[in-house]
């Protein structure tokens, strides 16, 4: 066998291997389960940065809970309001059972 024939066989084997790999990938892709795509979430949580923005957001969260701003809230710092706002958001968050009532059940039951 000449050197040219060896290189030709090697190139043909390389191309055949690539084609076989592509064919396997295409077949496997068809067997995957469909993926549900949800609403894209922001890369950074949307939390106001300013004192006024945090105060408004905190008031809105308290309003959702049926509460009002406490007396003397105007003297709180930005960090204090941010902490109280984030705490109220967590308190107002729905429980897992409210989102998916079957979440606690096992699949094999």
């Amino acid at each position: 066998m000449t050197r040219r024939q060896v290189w030709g066989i090697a190139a043909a084997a390389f191309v055949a291997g690539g084609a076989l790999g592509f064919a396997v990938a295409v077949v496997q892709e068809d067997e995957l389960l469909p993926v549900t795509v949800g609403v894209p979430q922001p890369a950074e949580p949307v939390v106001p940065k300013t004192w006024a923005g945090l105060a408004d957001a905190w008031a809105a969260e308290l309003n959702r809970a049926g509460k009002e701003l406490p007396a003397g809230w105007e003297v709180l710092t930005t960090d204090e309001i941010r902490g109280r706002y984030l705490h109220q958001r967590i308190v107002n968050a729905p429980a897992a059972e409210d989102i998916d009532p079957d979440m606690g059940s096992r699949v094999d039951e």
Side-chain angles (χ1 to χ4, degrees):
M1 239 192 234
T2 66
R3 195 175 239 183
R4 181 178 248 168
Q5 289 174 330
V6 171
W7 280 108
I9 292 171
F14 181 76
V15 170
L20 179 63
F22 179 76
V24 168
V26 168
V27 170
Q28 281 187 340
E29 190 173 298
D30 289 340
E31 294 175 4
L32 295 176
L33 295 173
V35 176
T36 303
V37 178
V39 178
Q41 298 296 318
E44 194 175 301
V46 182
V47 176
K49 304 269 188 235
T50 64
W51 185 92
L54 285 165
D56 291 343
W58 181 34
E61 287 295 327
L62 287 172
N63 200 13
R64 280 184 46 206
K67 300 177 183 178
E68 294 182 6
L69 289 168
W73 67 271
E74 297 92 353
V75 298
L76 295 174
T77 66
T78 303
D79 287 336
E80 290 171 329
I81 292 177
R82 180 181 298 110
R84 292 179 184 211
Y85 161 66
L86 292 174
H87 175 264
Q88 192 62 47
R89 276 185 60 178
I90 292 169
V91 170
N92 288 354
E97 293 79 25
D98 296 336
I99 296 171
D100 184 2
D102 296 329
M103 191 168 181
S105 65
R106 293 177 53 161
V107 176
D108 57 354
E109 290 180 354

